[in-house]
């Protein structure tokens, strides 16, 4: 088995320790920045929905500012965002390079996208349900929790899956600030040293990762849709 | 019980200002079923939403048992809303919750502990005839069953008032009748006051005690259902009544010059409209004997409204012109409306 691998992927076998480390770094970046982005994006998505004209608590100022800010952040290419937020990164994580240095730009790259996903998922909840809840005399928090979020679980899961998959792509770019991970690994060996087997191994790993995420997501959606 | 005073509500739409409700005043008595009928866009949906202030009227006030709802703060308003049930055209059930959980939803904020709340929800489901469906999800139910769940949910906090926003408009005629029968039963058993809006006169006819007719945001006519059906004043009202009556057909046949309605010389086509007292009398045989007339009944529609008969007969009369004229006078004096539809 190992002989066979050595034949078709000689470089990968030599760098296997580094390869496993790169997978670990990718998963670490995804878990930390994904977790943080989930919380912030969820909060902002709810805030947008609630403050939207015709929402539960319409607030034009908050809505407009947030809406524009998200558009601006979404328009910045991630590779530029990576370097643009360096001062902030230094402030928050103490270092602008390495895996820790990648977290802040990853959060900046993910939150606006995820906020939109949440906003879309919540917008799919029939406004009649909110009306029914208001007619019952429910307080706004209860409407958000028991109606909006509860009813949009499948939509939120779907949005989260799409976001995680796009996060996989972003973490690959984080290699540019020395963030490590699979993308960095593939560029340094696969691209710059023309070790094709490393490129293929990276692609395959990412493919498996994306498929796994999709499969899990689909399962949850199926379970929560009635 | 419920009093609306000079309510007005306008919307700023894409096509300019829309005056959805204009200066509407009406009173609903405790224990009655009050129907509001209007074509789509007449403002009835907005009006019913103004009652529990899902829509804030710009002018006017809403009173419920001497409490002015329009003057209440958020929190007090929520308290009042718990005492007003509401059901909708599209049921508005939570798809992610079972039938039982849907009924339990309004009880979450009540002081009731969970087991008691579940007992209550079950007894409500029994009341609406869905005891066996408590574990089902709304998507597994038919339209009529969904509306029953919605009714059970609306009753969870023991409301005195139930608002029905086109509650039967998405249902087939058979299911509509069963839902209306349920509403009537709740009205009689629980003393529940019901305000319902609809565009179908048949719904009004079936269960309402009083009715208001809306057009262009205004209430143009109101009164007890029998009176409005027997003596409609406004053109819209007449149109709505016609839609609920098979007599419509006669007018179409007449316009198409159908052979059934062709008259011989000396014949007249009359529409006789009977009311509370006159419907019980044998007028047809009475006038045919008294004035030597031959009567041919072409079409008939006698309905029972609020336990009193109301209806029309379309007849062809043959006889001497002066006899027909005397018979017409006689009928008019006896509280029968006579309309000459066609003369030969």
């Amino acid at each position: 088995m190992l002989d066979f691998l050595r034949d078709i992927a000689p470089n990968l076998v030599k760098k296997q320790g580094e390869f496993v480390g790169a997978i670990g770094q990718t998963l670490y970046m995804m878990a930390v920045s994904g977790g943080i982005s989930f919380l912030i994006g969820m909060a902002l998505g709810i805030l947008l929905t609630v403050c939207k004209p015709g929402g539960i608590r319409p607030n034009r100022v908050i809505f407009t500012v947030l809406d524009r800010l998200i558009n601006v952040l979404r328009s910045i290419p991630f590779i530029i965002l990576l370097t643009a937020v360096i001062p902030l990164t230094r402030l928050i994580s103490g270092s602008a390079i390495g895996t820790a240095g990648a977290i802040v730009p990853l959060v900046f790259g993910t939150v606006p996208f995820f906020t939109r996903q949440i906003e879309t998922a919540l917008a799919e909840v029939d406004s009649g349900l909110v009306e029914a809840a208001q007619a019952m005399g429910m307080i706004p928090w209860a409407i958000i929790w028991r109606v909006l979020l509860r009813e949009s679980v499948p939509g939120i899961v779907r949005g989260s899956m799409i976001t995680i998959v796009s996060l996989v792509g972003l973490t690959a770019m984080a290699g540019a600030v020395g963030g490590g991970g699979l993308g960095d690994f593939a560029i340094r060996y696969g691209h710059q040293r023309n070790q094709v087997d490393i490129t293929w191994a990276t692609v395959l790993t990412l493919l498996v990762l994306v498929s796994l995420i999709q499969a899990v997501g689909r399962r949850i959606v199926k379970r929560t849709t009635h | 019980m419920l009093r609306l005073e000079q309510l007005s509500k306008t919307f700023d739409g894409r096509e300019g200002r829309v005056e959805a409700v204009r200066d509407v005043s009406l009173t609903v008595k405790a224990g009655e079923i009050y129907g509001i009928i209007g074509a789509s866009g007449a403002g009835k949906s907005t009006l019913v939403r103004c009652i529990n202030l899902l829509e804030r009227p710009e002018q006017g006030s809403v009173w419920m048992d001497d409490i002015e709802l329009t003057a209440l703060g958020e929190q007090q308003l929520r308290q009042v809303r718990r005492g007003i049930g509401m059901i909708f055209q599209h049921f508005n059930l939570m798809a992610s919750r079972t039938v039982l959980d849907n009924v339990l939803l309004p009880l979450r904020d009540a002081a009731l502990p969970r087991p008691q709340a579940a007992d209550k929800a079950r007894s409500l489901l029994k009341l609406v005839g869905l005891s066996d469906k408590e574990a089902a999800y709304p998507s597994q139910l038919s339209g009529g069953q969904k509306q029953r769940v919605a009714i059970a949910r609306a009753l969870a906090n023991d409301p005195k008032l139930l608002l029905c926003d086109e509650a039967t408009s998405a249902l087939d005629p058979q299911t509509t009748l069963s839902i209306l029968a349920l509403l009537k039963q709740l009205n009689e058993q629980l003393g529940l006051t019901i305000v319902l809006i609809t565009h179908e006169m048949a719904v009004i006819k079936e269960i309402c005690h009083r009715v208001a007719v809306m057009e262009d945001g205004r209430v143009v006519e109101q009164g007890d259902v029998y009176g409005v059906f027997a003596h409609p004043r406004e053109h819209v009202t007449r149109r709505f009544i016609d839609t609920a009556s098979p007599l419509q057909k006669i007018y179409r046949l007449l316009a198409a010059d159908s052979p059934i309605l062709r008259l011989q010389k000396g014949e007249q086509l009359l529409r006789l409209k009977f009311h509370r007292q006159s419907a019980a009398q044998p007028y047809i045989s009475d006038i045919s004997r008294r004035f030597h007339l031959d009567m041919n009944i072409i079409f008939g529609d006698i309905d029972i409204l609020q336990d009193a008969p109301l209806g029309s007969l379309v007849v062809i009369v043959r006889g001497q012109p002066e006899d027909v004229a005397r018979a017409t006078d006689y009928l008019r004096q006896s509280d029968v409306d006579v309309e000459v539809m066609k003369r030969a």
Side-chain angles (χ1 to χ4, degrees), chain A residues 56-57 125-140 142 145-154 223-226, chain B residues 49 52 54-55 74 77-79 81-82 84 86 88 90-98 101-102 105-106 108-109 137 139 153 157 165:
Chain A
I56 309 174
R57 278 279 180 285
V125 176
D126 184 354
S127 60
L129 298 186
V130 175
E131 198 175 44
Q134 283 172 329
M136 280 174 211
M138 243 188 234
I139 58 170
W145 189 250
R146 293 177 197 158
V147 182
L148 282 178
L149 290 178
R150 172 76 190 247
E151 286 295 309
S152 59
V153 167
R223 282 236 175 140
T224 51
T225 308
H226 298 289
Chain B
R49 278 170 176 68
N52 60 0
L54 286 176
E55 297 283 1
E74 284 270 341
L77 178 60
R78 277 198 290 273
Q79 209 53 49
R81 276 178 180 166
R82 282 174 204 161
I84 304 176
M86 188 167 189
F88 305 85
H90 298 294
F91 325 122
N92 295 353
L93 298 176
M94 315 284 159
S96 66
R97 293 173 191 272
T98 61
D101 282 342
N102 264 287
L105 198 57
R108 289 282 200 89
D109 299 312
Y137 284 94
S139 59
R153 182 178 70 176
N157 279 315
D165 178 15

Side-chain angles (χ1 to χ4, degrees), chain B residues 9-23:
Chain B
K9 170 83 188 170
T10 52
F11 291 107
D12 286 316
R14 211 161 286 227
E15 287 104 41
R17 285 175 83 76
V18 180
E19 293 183 67
V21 173
R22 305 189 207 194
D23 197 26

Side-chain angles (χ1 to χ4, degrees), chain B residues 208-259:
Chain B
C208 292
H209 302 122
R210 288 200 297 148
V211 61
V213 182
M214 277 190 88
E215 188 182 32
D216 287 334
R218 287 199 180 81
V219 168
V220 292
E221 185 161 359
Q222 56 178 315
D224 80 284
V225 168
Y226 194 94
V228 170
F229 265 84
H231 304 287
R233 287 195 319 262
E234 298 293 324
H235 181 66
V236 251
T237 315
R238 241 171 262 143
R239 247 184 17 233
F240 275 119
I241 292 171
D242 284 345
T243 55
S245 158
L247 269 171
Q248 271 286 70
K249 204 168 186 172
I250 278 294
Y251 287 96
R252 279 204 300 273
L253 291 175
L254 199 60
D257 193 26
S258 158

Side-chain angles (χ1 to χ4, degrees), chain B residues 309-329:
Chain B
L310 173 71
S312 293
L313 286 180
V314 175
V315 296
I316 294 176
V317 286
R318 192 188 309 143
Q320 296 303 317
E322 57 275 15
D323 284 339
V324 175
R326 275 165 54 215
T328 310
D329 286 343

Side-chain angles (χ1 to χ4, degrees), chain B residues 158-179:
Chain B
D158 304 312
K160 285 179 291 179
L161 176 65
L162 178 68
L163 306 176
C164 309
D165 178 15
E166 297 272 9
T168 58
S169 298
L171 304 174
D172 62 66
Q174 194 104 42
T175 316
T176 295
L177 285 180
S178 79
I179 292 293

Side-chain angles (χ1 to χ4, degrees), chain B residues 82-145:
Chain B
R82 282 174 204 161
I84 304 176
M86 188 167 189
I87 57 174
F88 305 85
Q89 177 173 9
H90 298 294
F91 325 122
N92 295 353
L93 298 176
M94 315 284 159
S96 66
R97 293 173 191 272
T98 61
V99 164
L100 187 67
D101 282 342
N102 264 287
V103 180
L104 275 170
L105 198 57
L107 290 170
R108 289 282 200 89
D109 299 312
L112 221 53
R114 180 102 187 166
Q116 274 92 318
D119 285 346
K120 186 167 187 194
R122 287 201 181 89
S123 71
L124 286 168
L125 284 173
K126 194 172 167 209
L127 182 66
V128 300
L130 282 180
S131 295
D132 53 331
K133 296 287 185 195
E134 66 167 72
Y137 284 94
S139 59
Q140 298 163 319
L141 303 180
S142 69
Q145 290 172 327

